[in-house]
Amino acid sequence: MDAKNMPPSYNPKDVEDRLYREWEEKKYFHAEVQPDKTPFSIVMPPPNVTGELHMGHALDNTLQDVLIRWRRMQGYNTLWLPGTDHAGIATQAKVEAQLAKEGTSRYDLGRKKFLERVWDWKQRYGDRITNQLRRLGASCDWDRERFTMDEGCSEAVREVFLQLYEEGLIYRDYYIVNWCPKCNTTISDIEVEHVELPAHLYYIKYPTEDGRDFITVATTRPETMLGDTAVAVHPGDDRYQHLIGTTVILPLMNRPIPIIADDYVSPEFGTGAVKITPAHDPNDFEIGKRHKLPQIQVIDTDGHMTAEAGPYQGLDRWECRKKVLRDLEEQGLLAEVEDLTHAVGHCYRCNTVVEPMISQQWFVRMKPLAEPAIRVVKEGKIKFIPERFTKIYLNWLENIRDWCISRQLWWGHRIPVWYCKDCDEIITSKTDVTQCSRCGSRNVEQDPDVLDTWFSSALWPFSTMGWPEKTAELAHFYPTSVLVTGRDIIFFWVARMIFSGLKFMKEVPFREVFIHGLVLDALGRKMSKSLGNGVDPLEVIEQYGADSLRFMLVTGNTPGNDIRFQFEKVEGARNFANKLWNASRFVIMNLEGYQPGEPVKAELTLADRWILSRYQDTVVRVSENMEAYELGEAARVLYEFIWDEFCDWYIELSKPRLYRGTPEEKAAAQHVLVTVLEGTLKLLHPFMPFITEEIWHHLPQTGETVMLAPWPESKPELRDAGAEKQMNDIIEVIRTIRHLRSEMNVPPAKRAEAVLVAGNDRVYEIINTWQDYIADLARADVKVVKSLASKPQQAAHGMARGTEIYIPLAGLIDIDKELARLKKELQELEKELNRVNSKLRNEGFLKKAPAEIVAKEKNKQEELTQKRMALEARLRLLGTKE
């Protein structure tokens, strides 16, 4: 076999890039429409074209790749369709930052030249993240790579906009929106991140118009009072019945405003009277509409005070707040300031505090679209994994507001609406408009805004396959099989894809939604630039290899739950890879004379039948866990089988036959080694594709790549419960002997005598028949008996599944020297135990020390007591009473 070309150690840097190029060149990832095959398809959540691979991407794409590689091996016609998102706000911000360094801006360039710069930037950096995904081992169909602003996706976006507009589901209106003063654009409700912050509730006196009384209102935003157009109370609040319908004077602005009654007001909040600012609060906006109140905008799009703010014009909103409070205090109108904690909305992109503001924007009417999206989930046509996310999804859709889809940006899908400057006609079109369809005027202008990035992303499962054309890809691969995504974008993306797919394809976009959590740091914190705790996946790949990173991410994963990134776990995965490599190299180096084919069943030993049975069990458990999306559990099962049962036990048990067995015995061992190793490599391939492929090429098999090899199926006829039980008995005996040797400091090179007293005839028969296993792996000369007239003197003693084990120590160790060592160890231990006992008897320590410190000392006390008992037992064994 090809052992001489197999390096003694595994180096991912020598393997990963070479193998990935080979996979791509041979088009192993590419899918064609094959109507006679069952499809399995996934669309990749498109990473931002501005982005670089982060741990969230690494987890998300590893999980997808595991599923795709597994289904590919099962014979499905697999399509994993990759692509990137144009990421409106993020990409524009990147290019604007670049322009700022050059001392210019987008306004200096103008829209056309600015967009040329963005496209140039996209061409230069757009393939960075896709190349990084290649480093991870993602087996995407790169021939089908898409971009949310490519020609086909752009056509789909315009088609959807026009259809929704013509059905009255897209409309333009003045409404209160979330405005980011830094990004200078609207953002949707779900793009607002609410952060609990310490703040103040300010109680302000509003004098009545006749000057005889005042009403006190409570607010967290005193700067917006400059735009107040009413004070509202609850109609049933007896405290204010006499004031409803009267007028107060707005402090600082000296403007009369009415006191109105509205059911929205809570009599329990603050004083039960609230200021109404329709232009700067979504609830006040609705109250204002009901009562036909004027809307006075006092904060502009940059977060500064407008002319409507009178003497405060031009101030930043936070400076204005300070000045308003000072002025109110000077006039004796600031009654009280109360501390509180409340949720403040921040822009999810730049973390700026969002400003509610009235603006003319484009909206999608959501209720008619949400209803079918709710129904398909309730009917089970789409299944969330884990199921608890169903409730979160339904709760959001059942309480959804209309979606603001316009953004005040230049980069993105420009809204396909044109306005005639001569006759005010509004024209929507799939193609660019140069002439008014109503009056013939060429004085037409396109709407300057672009669509929310998520508008195009919502169409991703079908726009990427050629819609609005009726393509063969759509007929074969749509609906997709599963969506793999993080729990943080269920609202942003998942829900919008579902209602878009139902609306335009009349079918769900995917059957299942596999939700994973976030990758946190080792302390359980979210990775962020501000904390400086992010871990670069590419640096991890460079140091440990892609397989180690992938395996660590998967083995730590349970559906829907966050995982902690720990380098110790990556190192553990690398050690696992090295263990697999070394075991495989051993097998391949010992295949001289190997002939494929089934061995004579009579030649199979207990160890052979045991490992073949355990392998069948592993196939079943791995496959079942994969079907249930318990990928972490599948990986754990594989890890334990490979490391413990195959490497640590079976390979060691096979060595005597490989080295000194008869030709028939050697052939049987070779056959079992190859069978189990080959099958295990197939099971492990979806998780660790590079090392499994590299080992595969050294094995005596006929397939050109493990990724196209058939997924293993269990053979029930090879399950052998009896062999498993017998082997487990023997393994426990070996473990116990090893433990006793270690405990008594028996040198590893010395062979020990082991007297085994079998608990019954069945155990006696097993141990007696296979005592060579014990002799070889425990380095012991074994004597098996059914009973003993007397117990051996100065012998270590243990129990294993009903078998008593004695190891006489005379001649194995220097008993006098060992006694001296144990006595010294016991003296040191008792000193430490006395110190701990003294501390725990100290009432002052017990009262003053933190509970966790006291608990730690109590645990130490218990550990030391157990150790003392063990030392005393060993001293007694060696013939002394301490």
Side-chain angles (χ1 to χ4, degrees):
M1 293 303 109
D2 193 15
K4 62 180 182 297
N5 295 324
M6 193 171 180
S9 59
Y10 178 66
N11 186 352
K13 291 179 183 178
D14 297 337
V15 171
E16 293 180 352
D17 287 347
R18 168 174 55 80
L19 283 181
Y20 199 91
R21 280 196 306 272
E22 184 180 312
W23 290 337
E24 261 199 279
E25 286 165 6
K26 293 184 176 178
K27 303 236 178 247
Y28 290 153
F29 310 153
H30 181 62
E32 289 290 345
V33 172
Q34 298 181 62
D36 58 321
K37 291 186 75 175
T38 305
F40 182 87
S41 56
I42 299 177
V43 289
M44 175 189 290
N48 290 352
V49 73
T50 61
E52 293 187 59
L53 195 71
H54 59 62
M55 274 302 164
H57 293 132
L59 171 62
D60 192 61
N61 286 283
T62 294
L63 296 176
Q64 291 173 78
D65 196 41
V66 169
L67 293 173
I68 279 288
R69 287 178 182 272
W70 167 51
R71 293 301 193 189
R72 186 184 288 127
M73 293 174 77
Q74 284 188 317
Y76 287 83
N77 189 24
T78 52
L79 168 64
W80 184 14
L81 200 153
T84 50
D85 192 287
H86 65 277
I89 294 176
T91 305
Q92 180 159 318
K94 289 261 188 187
V95 178
E96 288 200 76
Q98 200 175 55
L99 291 175
K101 288 178 184 175
E102 298 169 15
T104 186
S105 72
R106 64 174 162 134
Y107 302 104
D108 296 328
L109 287 182
R111 187 168 192 142
K112 185 179 178 184
K113 286 195 174 298
F114 174 75
L115 290 177
E116 286 173 2
R117 280 292 295 265
V118 184
W119 277 107
D120 179 59
W121 190 93
K122 189 264 175 189
Q123 292 303 117
R124 210 176 319 160
Y125 298 108
D127 61 355
R128 178 171 55 189
I129 195 159
T130 54
N131 286 332
Q132 291 170 341
L133 286 169
R134 287 173 166 89
R135 292 285 309 277
L136 186 68
S139 60
C140 315
D141 188 347
W142 295 110
D143 294 340
R144 295 182 182 274
E145 184 182 348
R146 300 302 299 269
F147 176 53
T148 50
M149 280 180 62
D150 66 27
E151 189 177 340
C153 289
S154 297
E155 182 187 352
V157 165
R158 284 199 173 185
E159 180 68 32
V160 165
F161 186 96
L162 262 64
Q163 282 193 38
L164 293 176
Y165 180 79
E166 286 164 5
E167 292 180 36
L169 294 174
I170 282 183
Y171 65 95
R172 194 181 188 213
D173 198 3
Y174 284 93
Y175 199 77
I176 194 97
V177 294
N178 306 298
W179 184 271
C180 175
K182 185 174 180 183
C183 297
N184 236 263
T185 183
T186 58
I187 57 175
S188 66
D189 290 345
I190 57 174
E191 292 170 314
V192 177
E193 292 185 345
H194 293 278
V195 182
E196 289 287 333
L197 294 173
H200 302 289
L201 189 61
Y202 302 96
Y203 291 83
I204 304 168
K205 297 176 181 177
Y206 284 39
T208 55
E209 195 168 25
D210 60 14
R212 294 178 182 177
D213 201 357
F214 59 83
I215 189 167
T216 302
V217 303
T219 180
T220 57
R221 305 185 65 215
E223 68 279 7
T224 63
M225 68 174 289
L226 306 174
D228 285 359
T229 54
V231 170
V233 298
H234 192 276
D237 194 333
D238 293 338
R239 292 172 293 178
Y240 301 117
Q241 288 298 314
H242 65 294
L243 291 175
I244 295 171
T246 65
T247 303
V248 292
I249 300 299
L250 179 63
L252 308 180
M253 301 301 287
N254 297 317
R255 184 170 68 239
I257 58 174
I259 297 176
I260 60 173
D262 194 279
D263 288 329
Y264 170 78
V265 181
S266 167
E268 287 77 35
F269 176 77
T271 62
V274 295
K275 56 189 276 316
I276 302 299
T277 321
H280 293 288
D281 184 275
N283 298 313
D284 293 2
F285 176 79
E286 296 296 341
I287 292 171
K289 284 209 303 189
R290 287 197 290 274
H291 295 270
K292 297 183 170 54
L293 298 174
Q295 299 164 345
I296 301 174
Q297 184 174 337
V298 292
I299 301 173
D300 68 15
T301 55
D302 292 318
H304 290 82
M305 309 311 290
T306 69
E308 295 283 5
Y312 303 93
Q313 180 181 0
L315 288 177
D316 170 84
R317 54 185 168 159
W318 311 123
E319 286 299 319
C320 178
R321 176 179 294 185
K322 293 174 187 174
K323 185 163 176 27
V324 162
L325 291 170
R326 281 197 304 269
D327 293 347
L328 287 170
E329 197 160 21
E330 285 174 10
Q331 296 180 28
L333 297 174
L334 186 59
E336 185 187 346
V337 180
E338 183 183 298
D339 292 338
L340 88 163
T341 300
H342 74 143
V344 179
H346 289 68
C347 172
Y348 81 114
R349 280 288 175 201
C350 67
N351 207 36
T352 301
V353 174
V354 167
E355 191 61 51
M357 194 175 294
I358 290 177
S359 178
Q360 189 177 32
Q361 301 289 342
W362 287 94
F363 296 87
V364 173
R365 211 177 299 280
M366 285 306 307
K367 192 169 175 56
L369 295 170
E371 286 171 352
I374 291 168
R375 188 167 58 250
V376 292
V377 171
K378 284 185 173 179
E379 291 173 354
K381 292 178 180 175
I382 295 178
K383 179 184 174 187
F384 280 82
I385 300 146
E387 200 275 331
R388 68 177 184 271
F389 287 100
T390 305
K391 187 177 179 182
I392 297 169
Y393 166 88
L394 292 173
N395 184 59
W396 182 68
L397 275 182
E398 285 164 353
N399 296 281
I400 198 166
R401 295 202 315 171
D402 285 356
W403 174 18
C404 177
I405 56 170
S406 46
R407 297 290 181 271
Q408 288 62 56
L409 303 169
W410 288 357
W411 171 246
H413 293 281
R414 196 165 176 180
I415 291 174
V417 173
W418 286 258
Y419 308 103
C420 178
K421 295 299 181 182
D422 292 335
C423 72
D424 295 330
E425 178 72 352
I426 296 176
I427 308 146
T428 58
S429 174
K430 278 182 68 175
T431 56
D432 288 354
V433 172
T434 56
Q435 188 173 4
C436 177
S437 55
R438 181 180 174 193
C439 72
S441 170
R442 292 189 174 275
N443 189 16
V444 292
E445 279 185 11
Q446 188 174 0
D447 193 300
D449 291 350
V450 300
L451 289 163
D452 178 6
T453 296
W454 296 101
F455 191 92
S456 51
S457 301
L459 318 180
W460 192 245
F462 53 92
S463 66
T464 52
M465 295 189 201
W467 189 90
E469 299 298 321
K470 292 183 177 179
T471 64
E473 282 77 9
L474 280 169
H476 186 59
F477 291 115
Y478 188 95
T480 62
S481 307
V482 61
L483 176 76
V484 181
T485 191
R487 61 175 169 77
D488 51 336
I489 56 172
I490 292 173
F491 312 135
F492 284 101
W493 194 43
V494 179
R496 287 167 175 168
M497 280 191 289
I498 292 173
F499 67 66
S500 299
L502 291 169
K503 176 68 180 171
F504 299 103
M505 290 294 296
K506 311 304 179 193
E507 177 62 283
V508 295
F510 27 74
R511 306 291 188 194
E512 295 177 309
V513 183
F514 176 28
I515 302 288
H516 60 77
L518 306 177
V519 183
L520 308 176
D521 72 4
L523 299 176
R525 301 172 301 175
K526 192 173 178 180
M527 291 186 183
S528 69
K529 287 182 181 176
S530 59
L531 288 174
N533 62 343
V535 179
D536 183 349
L538 291 174
E539 290 180 7
V540 178
I541 290 171
E542 191 65 27
Q543 186 175 355
Y544 297 97
D547 285 336
S548 296
L549 174 61
R550 288 168 62 110
F551 200 72
M552 175 265 159
L553 290 170
V554 175
T555 48
N557 185 269
T558 51
N561 294 329
D562 296 339
I563 66 168
R564 294 189 182 194
F565 181 90
Q566 295 171 315
F567 276 102
E568 297 85 356
K569 291 183 178 177
V570 185
E571 288 168 3
R574 180 186 60 187
N575 293 342
F576 175 59
N578 290 338
K579 181 96 168 177
L580 174 67
W581 182 265
N582 293 336
S584 302
R585 191 166 181 269
F586 169 81
V587 172
I588 292 161
M589 288 175 68
N590 284 279
L591 292 184
E592 186 179 349
Y594 170 74
Q595 293 295 324
E598 296 291 325
V600 178
K601 195 165 185 181
E603 298 295 340
L604 293 179
T605 64
L606 172 63
D608 295 335
R609 289 182 281 114
W610 167 74
I611 197 65
L612 288 169
S613 182
R614 296 303 304 136
Y615 168 68
Q616 305 312 315
D617 178 68
T618 302
V619 170
V620 171
R621 290 168 66 202
V622 169
S623 299
E624 286 177 350
N625 278 298
M626 298 285 268
E627 292 286 355
Y629 292 97
E630 291 287 354
L631 307 189
E633 181 61 15
R636 187 195 63 77
V637 168
L638 267 174
Y639 176 92
E640 290 185 355
F641 173 75
I642 293 168
W643 187 293
D644 188 31
E645 296 178 320
F646 184 61
C647 295
D648 282 358
W649 289 105
Y650 182 72
I651 285 180
E652 294 303 314
L653 289 165
S654 71
K655 285 179 180 179
R657 285 183 296 155
L658 292 173
Y659 297 159
R660 54 182 184 270
T662 66
E664 292 77 15
E665 289 171 340
K666 183 177 180 181
Q670 288 176 331
H671 168 79
V672 174
L673 285 165
V674 170
T675 298
V676 175
L677 178 58
E678 186 178 315
T680 303
L681 290 175
K682 292 179 187 178
L683 293 174
L684 187 61
H685 177 73
F687 303 94
M688 302 180 89
F690 292 108
I691 192 171
T692 51
E693 178 81 331
E694 186 69 0
I695 294 169
W696 179 264
H697 287 307
H698 291 279
L699 276 175
Q701 40 68 33
T702 54
E704 59 180 292
T705 171
V706 67
M707 82 170 69
L708 298 180
W711 183 256
E713 292 185 8
S714 175
K715 296 180 178 178
E717 67 273 16
L718 292 179
R719 292 301 300 270
D720 192 331
E724 290 192 31
K725 186 171 184 356
Q726 290 176 37
M727 197 68 216
N728 287 340
D729 288 342
I730 290 169
I731 285 171
E732 281 308 306
V733 169
I734 295 169
R735 281 186 174 139
T736 304
I737 295 173
R738 285 174 172 177
H739 174 71
L740 292 173
R741 288 179 61 111
S742 171
E743 196 175 49
M744 302 310 299
N745 282 329
V746 175
K750 279 196 174 183
R751 290 191 73 82
E753 180 189 351
V755 180
L756 310 181
V757 185
N760 54 54
D761 289 345
R762 182 190 70 82
V763 173
Y764 176 83
E765 184 65 30
I766 294 165
I767 294 174
N768 198 45
T769 304
W770 302 105
Q771 61 178 283
D772 285 353
Y773 290 167
I774 301 168
D776 289 336
L777 269 65
R779 290 196 62 78
D781 296 324
V782 178
K783 180 182 179 183
V784 187
V785 297
K786 292 184 178 180
S787 63
L788 280 176
S790 61
K791 295 178 182 178
Q793 294 299 305
Q794 290 187 321
H797 174 257
M799 291 286 295
R801 293 177 180 262
T803 297
E804 281 196 274
I805 300 166
Y806 294 93
I807 300 179
L809 298 171
L812 274 183
I813 60 173
D814 185 328
I815 291 178
D816 290 338
K817 193 174 178 181
E818 181 65 8
L819 280 170
R821 187 188 70 78
L822 290 173
K823 285 176 181 178
K824 186 178 178 184
E825 189 178 336
L826 182 61
Q827 286 172 359
E828 294 296 324
L829 185 145
E830 284 182 331
K831 280 182 194 174
E832 179 65 10
L833 183 57
N834 288 336
R835 186 192 66 77
V836 173
N837 288 339
S838 175
K839 190 182 279 190
L840 290 173
R841 284 194 296 267
N842 186 326
E843 289 297 325
F845 170 75
L846 295 174
K847 286 178 182 176
K848 292 177 183 176
E852 61 270 20
I853 299 295
V854 174
K856 192 175 177 182
E857 291 296 317
K858 286 183 176 177
N859 287 338
K860 192 184 288 185
Q861 181 188 51
E862 189 176 336
E863 285 174 17
L864 291 170
T865 302
Q866 292 294 327
K867 281 185 180 178
R868 183 177 66 179
M869 290 168 64
L871 282 171
E872 289 171 345
R874 281 155 69 185
L875 283 164
R876 283 194 299 273
L877 173 71
L878 293 175
T880 179
K881 296 186 179 180
E882 303 92 52

